[in-house]
């Protein structure tokens, strides 16, 4: 009989300890004494760091790239739309970058912002997430919040991160915490900032959810809680698959319209005047960026585990993946009409970033266009005011620098291929002096004998 009160007291003490651990972290977030750890200082992690520093948190940034860490600690930026001044200000506010993962215990939160690409078989490559987590696991401590922001398939957080955290003896939801909160950065978009873009957050447990919402609410105007990490993971996939499918639709319609002698861009502009029931999406030379070309494959891969074939999504992927070949065929046909072959022709690709007005090269369709043209024997050059030198990429290699555009230079090329429609290009100058323009972005509204829509 004497053992029962002691057991009850032990249980009460344990529950009380759990409550204390959670409340201590909530208090530190509330009074801004929490140290925010951000792992991966790229297009997602760096803006998030700036926002946390802006509101008064000390931020400790982790990255495996020593050159990035050195640049940041010197007050320099390696992303065009992030100024060196903003980095310098963050340093003054206590920001520090390091490659030393053993410093993870200094942080109260560890926010993972690392790539989730596809492998050569177009299957999810979680190596960056898992390697990062494995590097952090030895240094996890009681009270840590781990938040994954990298886009991935539903179940990743629970199936991969949770057991790694609990391998250290923690009970997630009691003395350590885990959430998934997908990034929603849109580089180069002046209308939205990290602060103003609503943030979805799903926790492994109610306690995890409470802490995750508190963390992001401190720096973001609106946080949208969802019921689980899986719901949050699926939300991100739906957002990007929605875009991929609709872009696949207009890309397919572009081909049909072209056969019929109709300008699809004119049709889209006209349809967009409808004030309800229609959202304009625009065709292009292929999909680019870190999300839209990749995310659908994360869902289709995971869906097979449940015996589901995502035919609709995969069809859109096939259409979008075929766009670079379609554009190259248009270049070949246009040159052929002028009694020229691609082999030996000088082709200038305009814009090699994946979208206008940024320096982001991830999954850029321009690079696939350049490779296909080179393989066919073209002498390929590029011009991009945002990418002065072709960067080192895992799978693509060009020893090229951006060509400065003037009348004589433009006229010297057999074909100018408009791949990314940066605002900095002088489209009037290009139209006046180019022998041939293949426009894959619908930039030129008025028809001309030397302009071919692609």
């Amino acid at each position: 009989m004497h053992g029962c009160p002691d057991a009850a007291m032990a249980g009460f003490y344990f529950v009380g300890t759990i409550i204390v651990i959670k409340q201590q972290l909530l208090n530190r977030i509330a009074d801004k004494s929490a140290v925010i750890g951000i792992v991966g200082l790229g297009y997602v992690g760096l803006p998030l760091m700036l926002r946390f520093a802006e509101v008064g948190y000390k931020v400790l940034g982790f990255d495996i790239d020593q050159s990035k860490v050195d640049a940041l600690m010197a007050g320099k930026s390696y992303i065009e739309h992030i100024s060196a001044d903003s980095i310098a200000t963050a340093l003054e506010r206590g920001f520090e970058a390091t490659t030393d993962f053993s410093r993870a215990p200094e942080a109260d939160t560890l926010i993972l912002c690392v790539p989730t690409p596809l492998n050569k078989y177009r299957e999810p490559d979680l190596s960056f997430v898992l390697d990062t987590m494995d590097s952090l696991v030895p240094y996890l401590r009681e009270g840590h919040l781990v938040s994954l922001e990298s886009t991935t398939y539903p179940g990743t957080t629970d199936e991969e991160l949770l057991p790694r955290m609990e391998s250290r003896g923690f009970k997630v939801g009691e003395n350590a915490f885990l959430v998934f909160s997908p990034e929603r950065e849109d580089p180069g978009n002046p209308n939205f900032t990290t602060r103003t873009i609503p943030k979805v957050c799903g926790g492994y447990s109610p306690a995890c959810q409470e802490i995750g919402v508190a963390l992001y609410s401190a720096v973001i105007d609106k946080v949208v809680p969802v019921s689980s990490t899986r719901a949050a993971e699926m939300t991100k996939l739906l957002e990007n698959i929605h875009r991929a499918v609709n872009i696949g639709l207009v890309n397919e319609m572009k081909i049909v319209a072209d056969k019929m002698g109709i300008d699809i861009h004119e049709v889209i502009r006209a349809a967009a005047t409808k004030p309800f029931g229609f959202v304009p999406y625009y065709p292009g030379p292929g999909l680019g960026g870190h999300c839209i070309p990749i995310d659908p494959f994360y869902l289709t891969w995971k869906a097979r585990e449940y015996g589901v074939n995502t035919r609709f999504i995969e069809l859109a992927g096939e259409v979008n993946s075929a766009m670079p070949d379609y554009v190259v065929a248009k270049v070949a046909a246009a040159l052929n009409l002028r009694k020229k072959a691609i082999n030996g022709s000088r082709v200038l690709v305009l814009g090699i970033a994946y979208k206008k007005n940024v320096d982001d090269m991830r999954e850029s369709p321009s690079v696939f266009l350049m490779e296909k043209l080179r393989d066919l024997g073209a002498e390929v050059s590029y011009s991009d005011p945002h990418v002065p030198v072709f960067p080192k990429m895992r799978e693509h290699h060009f020893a090229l620098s951006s060509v400065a555009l003037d009348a004589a230079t433009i006229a010297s090329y057999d074909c100018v291929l408009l791949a990314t429609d940066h605002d900095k290009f002088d489209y009037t100058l290009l139209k006046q002096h180019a022998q041939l323009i293949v426009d894959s972005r619908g930039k030129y509204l008025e028809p001309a004998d030397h302009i071919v829509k692609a």
Side-chain angles (χ1 to χ4, degrees), residues 122 247-248 251-252 254-255 283-289 293 297 315-333 342 347 349 351-354 362-376 396 415 417-420 438-441 453-454:
R122 309 298 284 174
I247 292 171
N251 274 331
E252 189 166 68
K254 171 180 72 173
I255 297 171
L287 292 182
F297 291 96
L315 179 60
E318 290 174 17
V319 172
N320 291 325
S321 297
M323 281 303 104
D325 286 318
Y326 175 79
V327 173
V328 169
K330 286 293 233 176
V331 171
I342 284 185
V347 179
V349 176
I352 62 169
Y354 86 87
R362 290 173 294 177
E363 301 296 320
S364 174
S366 301
V367 180
F368 293 99
L369 291 171
M370 291 172 69
E371 288 181 335
K372 289 177 183 295
L373 290 166
R374 180 180 63 184
D375 292 346
L376 291 169
H396 310 286
C415 177
L417 170 56
L418 177 54
T420 306
V438 175
D439 177 7
S440 73
R441 293 288 183 175
K453 298 291 181 69

Side-chain angles (χ1 to χ4, degrees), residues 303-323:
R304 294 188 197 109
E305 182 181 316
Y306 296 86
V308 178
N309 293 316
T310 52
R311 291 174 293 171
F312 198 75
I313 297 170
E314 292 180 44
L315 179 60
E318 290 174 17
V319 172
N320 291 325
S321 297
M323 281 303 104

Side-chain angles (χ1 to χ4, degrees), residues 385-434:
H386 300 276
V387 188
V389 177
F390 195 96
K392 292 181 180 178
M393 303 181 76
R394 285 194 295 271
E395 298 178 3
H396 310 286
H397 307 282
F398 282 91
L400 296 172
S401 297
S402 178
V403 172
L405 299 179
D406 56 38
T409 301
I410 294 167
S412 70
Y413 286 92
D414 297 294
C415 177
V416 173
L417 170 56
L418 177 54
T420 306
D421 52 337
H422 295 308
D423 289 340
K424 289 183 178 180
F425 288 134
D426 186 336
Y427 293 99
T428 301
L429 181 73
L430 287 160
K431 184 176 180 179
Q432 288 174 344
H433 298 284

Side-chain angles (χ1 to χ4, degrees), residues 118-131:
L118 300 171
N119 64 23
K120 64 180 180 179
Y121 303 109
R122 309 298 284 174
E123 295 172 341
D125 178 4
L126 290 183
S127 61
F128 292 92
V129 171
L130 301 185
D131 290 349

